[in-house]
Amino acid sequence: MPKIADNRLRSLVSLLGLGSRLGDEIRVQASGPDAEEAIIQLSQAIRNGLGEACGKAQSCAATNATPLPEEQPLLGQTNDDPNTLSGVAASPGLAIGQVFQLVEETFEFAEQGTDVTTEQQQLSDAIEKAKQQLQTLKADVISHGSSEQAAIFDAHRERLNDPELTNCTAEKITQGKSALINTVNG
């Protein structure tokens, strides 16, 4: 049975947090001078799967949807075999490759900031540097012939402008927190 959610989406983070699945009903409303065009474009993007391949007809419209199996919880899954790595599938299929051991790096930053102006500038510099790095990654992926996959970097760049994230960090900076600890730890 489709879910009906009443979420107020004002940013990319809100949209990602919606948690909708194929077959769910989504009602789109907008306000402002370009609201009608925004609704048309967003509705079409949702119907087209937001860039994801959705099957034979490449249409994700719920009218052609088949019920999905119930999602399994991600927490609490264990495996007693030391030669088996448990993971979470991001997409269907099979992956074959080399295994690398991930060594967790620890970062230590002062929790308290020096002053609001300095911390705000550090945050601004970090966001600009991240945007430049994402643009470089996108250009590299495009140069290797994967322009469709490169669009993910635009979404990450948009997330750097998301008011839900930037306002929260800015508020913590005005409360005396370090910009670096806020950008690393949220």
Side-chain angles (χ1 to χ4, degrees), residues 67-129:
L68 296 174
E70 193 62 34
E71 291 182 9
Q72 298 298 314
L74 301 178
L75 301 176
Q77 294 180 354
T78 59
N79 190 319
D80 295 330
D81 183 353
N83 296 316
T84 301
L85 298 174
S86 297
V88 178
S91 63
L94 174 68
I96 299 173
Q98 295 179 334
V99 175
F100 295 91
Q101 182 177 8
L102 176 65
V103 178
E104 186 175 326
E105 291 185 55
T106 57
F107 299 96
E108 292 191 25
F109 300 100
E111 184 173 347
Q112 299 301 314
T114 53
D115 65 85
V116 172
T117 304
T118 301
E119 298 302 321
Q120 288 172 334
Q121 186 60 52
Q122 284 183 333
L123 176 62
S124 178
D125 292 346
I127 289 171
E128 281 307 310
K129 183 177 179 181

